[in-house]
Amino acid sequence: MKRSIIVVLLCVILGTFATAQSSRTVGVILLSDVATYGDAAYLLLAARGLIDDEVGLAGAAGLLEFNGYGTPGRLWLDPITLGEYAVLLRRVLGLPGGFMSALTEAPRYAVRDLRHYRIIQGRAYPNMTISGERMVRILGRALAWQDGTL
Amino acid sequence: MRRRIAAGLVFLWVLAIAAPVAAFDGRDWGVTVDGAATVRYSDELSDHDLDYRVRTALWAEFFRGIGDGGALVLSAEGSFVHADDRDYLVDLDRLRLSMSFPGAFGGAGTFAAAFGRFAFRDPTAQILNSPADGVRLGFRFSTWELELWGGYTGLLLNPVSRIRLSAADRAEESDDDQIFGPQRVLAQAELRFPDIAARQLLSLSAVAQWDLREEDDDTDTVDSQYGALLLAGPLVRNLYHTSFAGVGLVQAEEDLIGLFGGTRLRYLREEWLGSRFSLSMLFTSGTQGEISAFVPITQPSIGRVFQPRAGNVSTVSAGYAVRPWIRSSAVSVRAIELSTGGRAFFRSSDQGSVEGGGLLTAGTLTPAGSERYLGSEVEWGLRARPLPDLGFALTGGVFLPGSVFGDDAGPEYLGRFELSLAL
């Protein structure tokens, strides 16, 4: 039931992008206990409408780097930490940051900034791994924050 | 030799706390810088006072998940304080190992525990608010929660300790030769019903402290026990209340019984530019008949410019806060909050004295007559956090003394600037 609600939420996030192929990919992401760099790349690019239906998780990671948002050296199957995800989220959605984020892109400052805006909720350590479900929830709140509805 | 043994024991204690989280799942650390400068001016005394304080703290936190949703968290914070009256003070503000075990009681409820140095607070915020070294145990179920606390205050540095009940405590406060604060054992129990009826939280609490010093001709010891009841929750839509009442028993040269109580109403309207209205009343008993002045373990904050100690003081306060730019597209100005408020001070009993802080109002005030009105203060504030890691606040206030300070007593002014930075 909980997962169904999140799938609906994700479809709303992705809008018309949610086709059969993308729904399958999203299902895979939601089921992952430890989300990967490719999962994050796919979700973020989809939220911005920068990804085609045929592109998979590996392609999304490459596309993220091609668009200038990626983290060099990271492979699509690498587990992603909350801090890395926060950095990518700020880059892709253009979220504002604090004084320290202007000086450095360290993951800990990205996490703190997003906690301040209530985009990241609950236990938040920059080096902890995150589940696909949590990644989707954070993305949902980031989009809601941009709309002024959070 | 004794010092070596003590140092070894402290090392083992820290090791015992740190060991379970050696293999952590999450960690974070940071530096915070908090500065505050306060200026006071008394019209009557033509005197001013400027003080400042800069606190730099280094904190770290380590997390390890255990079992099904459980957690071990080791949290530590140390600080360096520079102030106008002290070149430096280095202190360990927090060293706490906390753990939670959801489903610990046959699938229902959560067991939580914390060990180390952390803040002890009573639910009413009128009796106790101080760090201490000790233990906290929590038994949390869906309909009720029980928290048990026990701690020792004798390892807090003297300038940091806020526990000042007796004359001996007060005398030690300004004694630079005294390294540690008053040695007391604290105990607290709280039984909480999060939703007893109509979304009301009911809290029943008991707090006690025992003075561990030897009583002699030069040192008086004071033990005390307190009982309190608190009810909080919504009354009607957008209107919330927190109401409390309690009793304090003090064993000093003679046994004393003090009372306290209060209520705070808050009316929140987010759509009116984040408006918050508040109205509150506070009563702390004075000496009258069988009842004595209420003596808390630590002093609650009662006023801004006029800062009376609890006991024989009652207040009526009103306040309003608004965020005028809450709908602005610029994130940095959305959280700017403007506030104003007023507060009237009274003696609870027409007998007895009141102790205050400030320039005009410092020391003990013993009015000759039965006048109860002490004065009023008005305050204004601007609070902003333009960036997630940068915040500041500007506060101004004026205290208009009543006739108990003299027929021609002039006002006292206060201005304060606070800055906080998280690195």
Side-chain angles (χ1 to χ4, degrees):
Chain A
M1 181 64 184
K2 204 164 106 183
R3 289 250 153 84
S4 308
I5 293 169
I6 293 174
V7 169
V8 172
L9 171 74
L10 196 69
C11 290
V12 172
I13 291 169
L14 304 183
T16 53
F17 177 80
T19 62
Q21 171 65 31
S22 63
S23 295
R24 269 196 300 279
T25 311
V26 166
V28 170
I29 294 172
L30 280 172
L31 288 171
S32 61
D33 287 331
V34 178
T36 65
Y37 184 74
D39 296 341
Y42 188 90
L43 282 179
L44 294 172
L45 291 174
R48 283 284 311 272
L50 295 173
I51 198 165
D52 292 330
D53 196 16
E54 301 78 32
V55 178
L57 299 178
L63 202 55
L64 194 73
E65 196 148 350
F66 177 77
N67 279 289
Y69 300 127
T71 305
R74 299 293 273 143
L75 302 175
W76 73 279
L77 267 175
D78 288 345
I80 191 166
T81 64
L82 180 64
E84 288 173 317
Y85 183 57
V87 169
L88 293 180
L89 200 65
R90 282 199 51 221
R91 281 184 198 156
V92 175
L93 298 185
L95 299 172
F99 172 72
M100 292 306 292
S101 294
L103 298 177
T104 170
E105 262 201 333
R108 42 199 289 268
Y109 299 121
V111 170
R112 277 187 223 167
D113 293 344
L114 299 190
R115 280 189 74 171
H116 174 75
Y117 296 125
R118 291 183 297 134
I119 290 170
I120 291 179
Q121 296 178 6
R123 213 178 286 285
Y125 298 93
N127 69 320
M128 73 194 308
T129 56
I130 52 171
S131 67
E133 184 182 323
R134 189 176 189 192
M135 210 157 66
V136 171
R137 286 182 187 277
I138 291 171
L139 176 61
R141 282 194 290 267
L143 295 172
W145 186 86
Q146 283 192 315
D147 288 344
T149 54
L150 182 65
Chain B
M1 187 61 184
R2 273 187 178 179
R3 282 190 175 179
R4 284 185 182 177
I5 292 172
L9 287 173
V10 169
F11 177 74
L12 286 174
W13 181 63
V14 171
L15 201 66
I17 284 180
V21 288
F24 42 79
D25 298 321
R27 66 175 186 276
D28 199 5
W29 65 275
V31 174
T32 57
V33 181
D34 299 290
T38 306
V39 61
R40 287 176 174 273
Y41 178 77
S42 166
D43 221 13
E44 184 181 350
L45 304 177
S46 293
D47 188 15
H48 76 280
D49 180 35
L50 171 68
D51 60 64
Y52 65 88
R53 184 175 187 269
V54 180
R55 176 180 180 273
T56 306
L58 172 67
W59 62 269
E61 195 168 295
F62 303 90
F63 158 76
R64 184 179 178 187
I66 44 171
D68 192 14
L72 273 177
V73 178
L74 176 65
S75 169
E77 180 170 321
S79 64
F80 175 92
V81 175
H82 173 68
D84 57 307
D85 60 346
R86 186 176 294 276
D87 286 339
Y88 67 89
L89 180 70
V90 179
D91 194 15
L92 176 67
D93 301 299
R94 189 176 68 242
L95 178 62
R96 181 186 63 206
L97 176 68
S98 54
M99 55 197 76
S100 62
F101 302 94
F105 307 103
T110 297
F111 172 69
F115 306 92
R117 174 170 295 184
F118 50 88
F120 281 55
R121 292 191 191 92
D122 82 289
T124 67
Q126 301 300 314
I127 303 169
L128 172 66
N129 182 6
S130 169
D133 300 293
V135 59
R136 186 181 71 214
L137 304 175
F139 306 87
R140 297 167 188 159
F141 295 86
S142 58
T143 53
W144 62 274
E145 298 173 358
L146 175 67
E147 300 261 353
L148 303 171
W149 312 52
Y152 174 64
T153 62
L155 293 174
L156 300 177
L157 293 180
N158 189 40
V160 172
S161 180
R162 293 193 293 268
I163 296 174
R164 305 291 168 191
L165 284 100
S166 63
D169 294 339
R170 307 261 200 107
E172 284 178 10
E173 192 170 11
S174 51
D175 184 355
D176 285 341
D177 294 333
Q178 196 76 28
I179 297 173
F180 296 108
Q183 299 170 32
R184 284 190 156 83
V185 168
L186 302 175
Q188 182 177 327
E190 183 191 1
L191 180 60
R192 205 166 37 225
F193 300 92
D195 186 5
I196 192 156
R199 294 164 61 203
Q200 297 295 305
L201 176 145
L202 173 68
S203 162
L204 304 164
S205 60
V207 184
Q209 64 81 25
W210 292 273
D211 200 333
L212 296 184
R213 287 170 295 195
E214 292 290 326
E215 188 164 6
D216 56 34
D217 292 343
D218 299 324
T219 309
D220 56 334
T221 61
V222 173
D223 298 338
S224 56
Q225 304 83 40
Y226 308 83
L229 183 148
L230 177 140
L231 195 65
L235 292 174
V236 293
R237 194 178 175 196
N238 298 326
L239 181 65
Y240 300 84
H241 83 110
T242 303
S243 306
F244 55 87
V247 60
L249 309 174
V250 176
Q251 293 85 48
E253 289 174 350
E254 54 182 321
D255 290 355
L256 308 170
I257 301 176
L259 303 173
F260 69 98
T263 189
R264 183 173 183 225
L265 298 172
R266 283 157 293 141
Y267 185 63
L268 313 177
R269 291 305 295 257
E270 192 68 16
E271 66 274 25
W272 295 351
L273 300 176
S275 289
R276 289 186 291 128
F277 301 85
S278 67
L279 182 67
S280 57
M281 283 163 278
L282 174 70
F283 165 82
T284 63
S285 65
T287 303
Q288 194 148 37
E290 297 295 310
I291 304 299
S292 309
F294 172 64
V295 181
I297 299 173
T298 58
Q299 287 296 323
S301 174
I302 294 178
R304 181 81 64 179
V305 188
F306 179 38
Q307 297 175 325
R309 291 174 68 90
N312 203 19
V313 169
S314 294
T315 63
V316 177
S317 314
Y320 174 66
V322 64
R323 285 176 280 159
W325 299 281
I326 193 172
R327 298 195 183 98
S328 169
S329 57
V331 180
S332 56
V333 301
R334 272 185 215 163
I336 293 177
E337 183 178 270
L338 304 177
S339 63
T340 185
R343 190 173 293 112
F345 300 90
F346 302 89
R347 273 199 300 170
S348 301
S349 158
D350 57 10
Q351 306 161 30
S353 57
V354 171
E355 286 188 71
L359 288 175
L360 175 68
T361 54
T364 303
L365 175 71
T366 310
S370 59
E371 181 74 41
R372 290 193 181 221
Y373 178 66
L374 297 170
S376 297
E377 67 179 22
V378 183
E379 60 178 296
W380 302 270
L382 184 156
R383 192 166 290 277
R385 185 159 283 279
L387 297 172
D389 44 16
L390 175 69
F392 68 89
L394 269 171
T395 311
V398 56
F399 174 67
L400 306 166
S403 57
V404 295
F405 288 92
D407 290 336
D408 54 350
E412 181 170 331
Y413 304 91
L414 175 143
R416 178 175 294 147
F417 176 69
E418 293 163 272
L419 182 76
S420 71
L421 187 63
L423 305 176

Short mmCIF file of all heavy atoms in Angstrom, two decimals, chain B residues 1 27 35 37 43 59 65 92 125 132 138 147 194 210 225-226 229 238 288 315 323 329 367 385 391 415:
data_model
loop_
_atom_site.label_atom_id
_atom_site.label_comp_id
_atom_site.label_asym_id
_atom_site.label_seq_id
_atom_site.Cartn_x
_atom_site.Cartn_y
_atom_site.Cartn_z
N MET B 1 48.47 10.09 42.56
CA MET B 1 48.00 8.74 42.30
C MET B 1 46.49 8.73 42.08
O MET B 1 45.98 8.12 41.15
CB MET B 1 48.38 7.83 43.48
CG MET B 1 48.07 6.37 43.22
SD MET B 1 48.98 5.71 41.82
CE MET B 1 48.31 4.07 41.72
N ARG B 27 27.81 9.61 10.32
CA ARG B 27 28.57 10.52 11.19
C ARG B 27 28.48 11.92 10.61
O ARG B 27 28.24 12.11 9.42
CB ARG B 27 30.04 10.09 11.29
CG ARG B 27 30.78 10.20 9.98
CD ARG B 27 32.26 9.88 10.10
NE ARG B 27 32.93 10.13 8.83
CZ ARG B 27 32.99 9.29 7.82
NH1 ARG B 27 32.40 8.10 7.92
NH2 ARG B 27 33.60 9.59 6.70
N GLY B 35 27.51 34.57 18.87
CA GLY B 35 27.95 35.78 19.54
C GLY B 35 26.75 36.60 20.00
O GLY B 35 25.70 36.59 19.35
N ALA B 37 25.93 40.52 22.00
CA ALA B 37 26.36 41.75 22.68
C ALA B 37 25.12 42.43 23.24
O ALA B 37 24.12 42.58 22.53
CB ALA B 37 27.09 42.67 21.72
N ASP B 43 18.09 55.33 32.75
CA ASP B 43 17.86 56.77 32.68
C ASP B 43 18.09 57.40 34.06
O ASP B 43 18.70 58.45 34.18
CB ASP B 43 16.41 57.00 32.25
CG ASP B 43 16.30 58.13 31.26
OD1 ASP B 43 17.35 58.56 30.74
OD2 ASP B 43 15.17 58.59 31.00
N TRP B 59 31.23 20.16 17.47
CA TRP B 59 30.35 19.04 17.81
C TRP B 59 30.56 17.88 16.84
O TRP B 59 31.04 18.08 15.72
CB TRP B 59 28.88 19.48 17.81
CG TRP B 59 28.38 19.95 16.47
CD1 TRP B 59 28.40 21.22 16.00
CD2 TRP B 59 27.83 19.14 15.42
NE1 TRP B 59 27.88 21.28 14.72
CE2 TRP B 59 27.53 20.01 14.34
CE3 TRP B 59 27.55 17.78 15.27
CZ2 TRP B 59 26.97 19.55 13.15
CZ3 TRP B 59 26.99 17.32 14.09
CH2 TRP B 59 26.71 18.22 13.05
N GLY B 65 22.74 1.99 13.32
CA GLY B 65 21.43 1.34 13.38
C GLY B 65 21.56 -0.01 14.04
O GLY B 65 22.52 -0.74 13.81
N LEU B 92 33.11 20.94 28.31
CA LEU B 92 32.45 19.84 27.60
C LEU B 92 30.95 20.02 27.85
O LEU B 92 30.48 19.82 28.96
CB LEU B 92 32.93 18.49 28.13
CG LEU B 92 32.25 17.25 27.53
CD1 LEU B 92 32.61 17.10 26.06
CD2 LEU B 92 32.65 16.00 28.29
N ALA B 125 9.22 23.92 32.49
CA ALA B 125 10.33 24.87 32.27
C ALA B 125 10.44 25.88 33.41
O ALA B 125 11.07 26.92 33.27
CB ALA B 125 10.19 25.60 30.94
N ALA B 132 23.54 18.01 33.26
CA ALA B 132 24.01 17.20 34.38
C ALA B 132 24.58 15.90 33.82
O ALA B 132 24.33 15.57 32.65
CB ALA B 132 22.87 16.92 35.36
N GLY B 138 13.58 5.80 29.13
CA GLY B 138 12.25 6.11 28.61
C GLY B 138 11.51 4.84 28.22
O GLY B 138 12.07 3.93 27.60
N GLU B 147 9.27 8.60 31.70
CA GLU B 147 10.69 8.97 31.60
C GLU B 147 11.25 9.08 33.02
O GLU B 147 10.65 9.71 33.89
CB GLU B 147 10.85 10.33 30.92
CG GLU B 147 10.31 10.41 29.51
CD GLU B 147 11.40 10.25 28.45
OE1 GLU B 147 12.58 10.21 28.83
OE2 GLU B 147 11.04 10.15 27.27
N PRO B 194 0.12 11.29 25.81
CA PRO B 194 0.18 12.19 24.66
C PRO B 194 -1.18 12.65 24.15
O PRO B 194 -1.30 13.72 23.59
CB PRO B 194 0.91 11.35 23.60
CG PRO B 194 1.62 10.28 24.35
CD PRO B 194 0.79 10.01 25.56
N TRP B 210 19.09 16.86 45.90
CA TRP B 210 19.67 16.73 47.23
C TRP B 210 21.06 17.37 47.21
O TRP B 210 21.89 17.07 46.34
CB TRP B 210 19.79 15.26 47.62
CG TRP B 210 18.47 14.61 47.83
CD1 TRP B 210 17.73 14.58 48.98
CD2 TRP B 210 17.70 13.90 46.85
NE1 TRP B 210 16.56 13.89 48.78
CE2 TRP B 210 16.51 13.46 47.48
CE3 TRP B 210 17.88 13.61 45.49
CZ2 TRP B 210 15.53 12.75 46.82
CZ3 TRP B 210 16.90 12.89 44.83
CH2 TRP B 210 15.74 12.47 45.49
N GLN B 225 11.96 19.27 46.70
CA GLN B 225 11.17 18.34 45.88
C GLN B 225 10.01 19.13 45.25
O GLN B 225 9.51 20.08 45.85
CB GLN B 225 10.59 17.20 46.71
CG GLN B 225 11.61 16.40 47.50
CD GLN B 225 11.96 17.06 48.82
OE1 GLN B 225 11.08 17.60 49.49
NE2 GLN B 225 13.22 17.06 49.19
N TYR B 226 9.62 18.70 44.08
CA TYR B 226 8.59 19.43 43.32
C TYR B 226 7.63 18.44 42.67
O TYR B 226 8.03 17.34 42.27
CB TYR B 226 9.22 20.28 42.21
CG TYR B 226 10.32 21.19 42.71
CD1 TYR B 226 11.62 20.71 42.88
CD2 TYR B 226 10.05 22.51 43.03
CE1 TYR B 226 12.62 21.53 43.36
CE2 TYR B 226 11.06 23.34 43.52
CZ TYR B 226 12.35 22.85 43.67
OH TYR B 226 13.33 23.66 44.15
N LEU B 229 1.90 19.44 37.26
CA LEU B 229 0.94 18.89 36.32
C LEU B 229 0.87 19.85 35.13
O LEU B 229 0.81 21.07 35.30
CB LEU B 229 -0.43 18.81 37.00
CG LEU B 229 -1.60 18.21 36.25
CD1 LEU B 229 -2.52 17.53 37.25
CD2 LEU B 229 -2.37 19.27 35.49
N ASN B 238 -6.68 26.65 15.51
CA ASN B 238 -5.58 27.63 15.52
C ASN B 238 -5.23 28.16 16.91
O ASN B 238 -4.33 28.98 17.04
CB ASN B 238 -5.87 28.83 14.61
CG ASN B 238 -6.01 28.44 13.17
OD1 ASN B 238 -5.35 27.51 12.71
ND2 ASN B 238 -6.88 29.12 12.44
N GLN B 288 3.06 34.22 52.35
CA GLN B 288 1.74 34.65 52.84
C GLN B 288 1.10 33.48 53.58
O GLN B 288 0.83 32.43 52.99
CB GLN B 288 0.85 35.08 51.67
CG GLN B 288 -0.38 35.83 52.11
CD GLN B 288 -0.80 36.88 51.08
OE1 GLN B 288 -0.69 36.64 49.89
NE2 GLN B 288 -1.28 38.01 51.54
N THR B 315 3.38 37.54 36.44
CA THR B 315 3.44 38.37 35.22
C THR B 315 2.22 38.10 34.35
O THR B 315 1.63 37.02 34.39
CB THR B 315 4.70 38.05 34.38
OG1 THR B 315 4.63 36.70 33.94
CG2 THR B 315 5.97 38.27 35.16
N ARG B 323 5.75 37.50 9.91
CA ARG B 323 6.81 37.39 8.90
C ARG B 323 6.32 38.10 7.64
O ARG B 323 5.66 37.50 6.79
CB ARG B 323 7.12 35.92 8.63
CG ARG B 323 7.94 35.29 9.75
CD ARG B 323 8.17 33.83 9.53
NE ARG B 323 6.99 33.05 9.93
CZ ARG B 323 6.72 31.83 9.50
NH1 ARG B 323 7.52 31.23 8.67
NH2 ARG B 323 5.64 31.20 9.90
N SER B 329 9.64 35.88 -3.17
CA SER B 329 10.34 34.88 -3.99
C SER B 329 11.79 34.74 -3.52
O SER B 329 12.45 33.74 -3.81
CB SER B 329 10.30 35.29 -5.46
OG SER B 329 10.87 36.58 -5.60
N PRO B 367 9.63 46.61 48.95
CA PRO B 367 8.77 47.79 49.03
C PRO B 367 8.25 48.00 50.45
O PRO B 367 7.97 47.02 51.17
CB PRO B 367 7.62 47.45 48.08
CG PRO B 367 8.13 46.35 47.21
CD PRO B 367 9.10 45.60 48.05
N ARG B 385 17.07 34.56 9.42
CA ARG B 385 18.05 33.54 9.03
C ARG B 385 18.15 33.61 7.52
O ARG B 385 17.49 32.86 6.79
CB ARG B 385 17.60 32.15 9.52
CG ARG B 385 18.61 31.06 9.25
CD ARG B 385 18.43 29.86 10.14
NE ARG B 385 18.92 30.07 11.49
CZ ARG B 385 20.21 29.97 11.85
NH1 ARG B 385 21.13 29.67 10.97
NH2 ARG B 385 20.57 30.19 13.08
N GLY B 391 22.40 33.21 10.97
CA GLY B 391 21.21 33.84 11.53
C GLY B 391 21.59 34.99 12.44
O GLY B 391 22.72 35.04 12.95
N GLY B 415 19.39 46.77 24.68
CA GLY B 415 19.54 46.45 23.26
C GLY B 415 20.45 45.24 23.14
O GLY B 415 21.43 45.12 23.88
#
